[in-house]
Amino acid sequence: MSRTAVVALGGNAFTREDQKGTFEELAANARTMANTVHALRRSGWNVVIVHGNGPQVGNLAIQQEEGSSVVPALPLSALGAMTQGQLGSLISIALRQTARAGDDIDIATIVTHVAVASDDPAFDDPRKPIGPFFHGDAVNEMVETRGWTMIEDSGRGHRRVVPSPKPQAILEAASIRVLADAGVVVVAAGGGGVPVVDEGNGLVGVDAVIDKDYAAQQLANQLGADALVLVTGVKNVMVDFGKPTQRAIEEVGVDEVEVHLSDGQFPEGSMGPKVRAGIAFLRNGGRTVVVTTPEFAADALADDEAARVGTRIVAADATVEA
């Protein structure tokens, strides 16, 4: 019986910190991510991909504002939908470019809408960074001329921040499930999905960007997925990071991870959202979460325990070796 893994890929994996975000850079980075998907499929997994869009949607917002004297600028919710098509196309092409002889691959990108609460406190406290990094006088210029809210982002410079409400439901989940069960690689909830609220007379988009890890968790639970794969820049989640007692987490139960989270081990600006998303997946019926780099994603889900790498978090009633 086929198993389904929902794989969350960061928007920063498309546009890395040292890159400008050219089309050629995006396409090359998409091919790297495609190899991760192929490895999972060759290990017997159906794959649903959820990707971030922070750098791309922020860049697109700047293009919209710069061109607004010629054509009207579109709202952020529309830009989120546009990046779903843009990045979904890049992933689809990359998967076909990197397929080996004998790979049976069919791909579908679903423009996905995600219900959020209109009274989510995130709307009054924007924290989600989007777009490029700014330094020096450019920071104040963006605040004064564009009215942006800016924050310092992990020592790398300042970025624009927008609201990031929590996803409550993936509206296209039923269609995504049909495709995934048929063995189609599905790209869904790109950029966390287009956030929508019900105002009583129908759904409307809102200017926000949903965190892709939380969107991936919500989708994985709605699909009844077997695993949630959170791709990041490090091989393992660490505890006591930067201290003499630093150690990598290999396989661990969700209860222990919650203790580490409550102890402040996982900052919100780095590993916090991934750990929170993983816990939510497991607490809502999921069985396995892995957190690792793209090249180790398939190995992290290996049936052979001796072959596993990365960090593996399992449900409370699963057996975890000491």
Side-chain angles (χ1 to χ4, degrees), residues 18-64:
D18 60 344
Q19 296 180 336
K20 295 181 178 179
T22 67
F23 184 81
E24 291 75 17
E25 289 169 342
L26 292 170
N29 294 335
R31 288 192 289 273
T32 298
M33 290 184 274
N35 289 323
T36 298
V37 177
H38 285 306
L40 285 165
R41 284 179 54 79
R42 291 167 191 147
S43 298
W45 289 87
N46 290 335
V47 178
V48 177
I49 303 168
V50 175
H51 61 79
N53 72 344
Q56 297 79 33
V57 78
N59 291 352
L60 187 55
I62 292 173
Q63 292 174 338
Q64 292 281 314

Side-chain angles (χ1 to χ4, degrees), residues 39-300:
L40 285 165
R41 284 179 54 79
R42 291 167 191 147
S43 298
W45 289 87
N46 290 335
V47 178
V48 177
I49 303 168
V50 175
H51 61 79
N53 72 344
Q56 297 79 33
V57 78
N59 291 352
L60 187 55
I62 292 173
Q63 292 174 338
Q64 292 281 314
E65 293 183 11
E66 291 293 327
S68 61
S69 62
V70 180
V71 294
L74 299 177
L76 189 60
S77 58
L79 304 188
M82 293 166 69
T83 60
Q84 287 193 54
Q86 172 200 15
L87 300 177
S89 174
L90 284 170
I91 292 171
S92 180
I93 291 170
L95 283 166
R96 290 183 168 89
Q97 288 176 334
T98 55
R100 297 176 185 169
D103 281 341
D104 180 17
I105 187 158
D106 192 8
I107 309 130
T109 296
I110 305 295
V111 176
T112 311
H113 302 83
V114 181
V116 301
S118 59
D119 60 353
D120 190 302
F123 287 112
D124 296 321
D125 186 21
R127 290 175 181 257
K128 177 66 174 176
I130 64 171
F133 293 90
F134 292 89
H135 305 273
D137 294 339
V139 177
N140 290 332
E141 181 181 348
M142 293 301 109
V143 173
E144 293 172 2
T145 62
R146 300 183 186 269
W148 289 355
T149 301
M150 305 280 284
I151 65 166
E152 195 277 329
D153 187 359
S154 304
R156 299 171 292 182
H158 283 70
R159 296 175 76 188
R160 179 188 180 186
V161 288
V162 298
S164 184
K166 292 292 175 60
Q168 295 189 324
I170 309 296
L171 301 189
E172 289 81 8
S175 298
I176 295 166
R177 182 186 296 111
V178 171
L179 289 168
D181 288 347
V184 177
V185 176
V186 186
V187 185
V194 178
V196 295
V197 299
D198 189 346
E199 295 190 338
N201 57 351
L203 296 172
V204 296
V206 291
D207 282 348
V209 174
I210 299 171
D211 185 279
K212 62 96 179 38
D213 292 322
Y214 293 134
Q217 170 266 308
Q218 180 65 44
L219 180 57
N221 282 127
Q222 286 186 238
L223 297 179
D226 301 276
L228 175 62
V229 181
L230 301 170
V231 176
T232 186
V234 294
K235 183 178 178 181
N236 289 81
V237 177
M238 310 293 289
V239 293
D240 292 345
F241 181 75
K243 300 178 181 179
T245 52
Q246 172 180 305
R247 65 181 177 87
I249 297 177
E250 295 180 352
E251 185 161 334
V252 65
V254 64
D255 292 339
E256 183 177 340
V257 169
E258 282 197 318
V259 171
H260 289 316
L261 180 65
S262 65
D263 288 342
Q265 290 282 355
F266 311 121
E268 286 304 309
S270 57
M271 199 60 70
K274 287 179 172 55
V275 172
R276 290 183 186 278
I279 290 171
F281 174 65
L282 297 171
R283 292 301 189 202
N284 286 281
R287 302 296 300 166
T288 305
V289 173
V290 296
V291 185
T292 193
T293 54
E295 63 268 30
F296 292 121
D299 292 334

